[in-house]
Amino acid sequence: MTSKIKKIGVLTSGGDSPGMNAAIRAVVRACAYYNVECVGIYRGYQGMIEGDFKDMGPRDVKNIINKGGTILKSARSADFRTKEGRKLAYDNLTAAGIDSFVVIGGDGSFTGAEIFNEEYKFPVIGIPGTIDNDIYGTSHTLGYDTALNTVIDAIDKIRDTANSHNRLFFVEVMGRDAGHIALNAGIGAGAEEILIPEEDFGLERLVESLKRSKDSGKTSSIVVVSEGDKIGKNVFELKDYIEENMPEYDVRVSVLGHMQRGGSPSCFDRVLASRLGVKAVETLLEGKSNFMVGLNQDKVTLTPLEQAIKGQSEIDMELVKVSDIVSS
Ligand code: F6P
């Protein structure tokens, strides 16, 4: 491949997710395969502004495919939101001979890349990395599959103790604005009810469902709640509400928190990261820019960054029906 691109930067930005290391590895090794240089940019856009760079070859990414987190570290950079910050970043990149970059992150990170490209005509490609799976233009983001497995593993354990004590548990999972984790892990873990940010199912429905559960002879229940659920009550407020209105229930709360963002990536995430990393480099070498690489019907595809940022990754309402049926 002959290309104008000679030195590709790679960074991870925003909330980390399992599979980011596997994606870094794929980008670095694809660069080596196609004989272009690769530079790791530390701490996301903040490292770009501070010139925190390291040349990377295939051996620098050994033994990381199985590791959670990101060896390049991550950050949400307020400075990169300013023109002055982006100018510093541009000066550092050009001084280091970096002529393009691959950013692994969510829509905030893509927005930064798009603005930067607009201002400096700098070739950029995005790889979707977030456990929330809330990015338009890909069926899966890096880390989502691993997070789902982490969540069902945790809920399975909670179910053991819930069952032993005939208790109701409210389990809070991540997803400030997206209910993909709650809905899918909820079904996977056999939750009685699932509350998500996209739809307000109402407290009456929850109460009705819990009544039905009791009447049908269930001795314990799990309700999975997205941290940004639309009912507008957090897990502790939900506990108070049920204790007040359904004294027959002994209620406990479990907030899973950041454990959902860590851990060794699943095989799915490792393969996805490898495919997207290679495609990101190939896309830059073909002279293209401003795309997100993603997965659609098991094919690696390109979506314009602008669409990936503006588009909505919809919840599949069919899953709500499935959950209702299988939890009865
Ligand atoms: O976007 C990923 C995510 O884990 C969300 O699910 C969560 O709301 C947020 O990041 C937490 O961010 P922080 O780690 O900055 O508290």
Side-chain angles (χ1 to χ4, degrees):
M1 234 184 253
T2 51
S3 166
K4 281 192 192 139
I5 301 294
K6 302 285 177 233
K7 206 179 208 181
I8 297 177
V10 57
L11 65 148
T12 47
S13 167
D16 64 343
S17 66
M20 281 187 164
N21 277 328
I24 294 166
R25 172 180 178 268
V27 169
V28 170
R29 291 194 174 169
C31 284
Y33 181 86
Y34 289 113
N35 282 316
V36 289
E37 289 181 77
C38 191
V39 177
I41 300 167
Y42 284 90
R43 291 174 295 118
Y45 292 117
Q46 199 54 35
M48 209 181 258
I49 290 170
E50 293 170 22
D52 198 357
F53 303 154
K54 180 182 182 281
D55 292 339
M56 295 189 96
R59 296 288 71 75
D60 293 309
V61 289
K62 67 180 182 203
N63 298 333
I64 65 166
I65 192 168
N66 56 334
K67 299 277 193 297
T70 158
I71 59 162
L72 292 177
K73 314 271 184 187
S74 194
R76 293 186 170 108
S77 170
D79 294 341
F80 198 73
R81 294 206 191 103
T82 66
K83 252 189 180 320
E84 299 73 38
R86 292 193 293 274
K87 169 82 171 69
L88 280 173
Y90 178 74
D91 290 345
N92 286 329
L93 289 173
T94 45
I98 300 169
D99 52 24
S100 54
F101 67 75
V102 175
V103 58
I104 307 165
D107 52 5
S109 311
F110 294 168
T111 303
E114 231 220 340
I115 295 172
F116 193 71
N117 170 272
E118 218 173 273
E119 285 175 351
Y120 295 104
K121 304 287 159 260
F122 205 88
V124 295
I125 294 291
I127 295 180
T130 163
I131 62 164
D132 291 354
N133 205 38
D134 58 348
I135 304 211
Y136 177 85
T138 186
S139 61
H140 289 77
T141 55
L142 289 184
Y144 172 56
D145 181 68
T146 306
L148 287 180
N149 286 306
T150 302
V151 172
I152 60 166
D153 193 42
I155 298 180
D156 286 350
K157 290 177 175 134
I158 291 169
R159 185 176 288 286
D160 288 344
T161 175
N163 212 22
S164 305
H165 289 270
N166 291 350
R167 281 177 172 157
L168 158 64
F169 266 82
F170 285 104
V171 181
E172 185 189 279
V173 299
M174 274 187 165
R176 222 176 353 212
D177 308 306
H180 296 284
I181 294 180
L183 205 46
N184 285 275
I187 292 175
E192 272 60 44
E193 277 296 320
I194 303 167
L195 306 181
I196 55 175
E198 290 84 352
E199 286 285 329
D200 183 355
F201 297 128
L203 282 168
E204 307 72 42
R205 176 187 146 109
L206 177 64
V207 169
E208 277 311 311
S209 157
L210 291 174
K211 265 194 197 131
R212 266 199 316 277
S213 291
K214 265 267 187 271
D215 294 347
S216 74
K218 284 194 184 185
T219 50
S220 64
S221 297
I222 305 280
V223 176
V224 174
V225 185
S226 277
E227 57 183 332
D229 86 273
K230 211 167 187 170
I231 278 189
K233 285 194 189 298
N234 66 34
V235 275
F236 298 100
E237 293 163 341
L238 286 167
K239 173 183 188 285
D240 291 346
Y241 182 85
I242 294 299
E243 276 178 343
E244 233 168 71
N245 292 280
M246 306 184 86
E248 64 274 29
Y249 270 106
D250 182 15
V251 193
R252 292 291 185 277
V253 163
S254 185
V255 176
L256 300 188
H258 285 77
M259 66 174 289
Q260 296 162 90
R261 288 233 300 253
S264 182
S266 64
C267 184
F268 180 89
D269 275 327
R270 297 181 199 192
V271 175
L272 179 64
S274 303
R275 293 175 76 185
L276 298 186
V278 168
K279 184 69 173 180
V281 169
E282 289 177 347
T283 305
L284 282 173
L285 295 181
E286 283 162 14
K288 296 181 190 145
S289 173
N290 268 24
F291 285 103
M292 178 192 80
V293 291
L295 193 71
N296 285 292
Q297 297 180 332
D298 203 33
K299 292 274 173 291
V300 177
T301 56
L302 299 179
T303 300
L305 267 188
E306 197 189 349
Q307 267 181 35
I309 296 162
K310 289 196 183 136
Q312 279 297 315
S313 84
E314 305 277 337
I315 280 290
D316 183 354
M317 290 307 282
E318 181 76 21
L319 292 176
V320 176
K321 182 178 159 207
V322 168
S323 165
D324 282 348
I325 294 173
V326 299
S327 65
S328 59

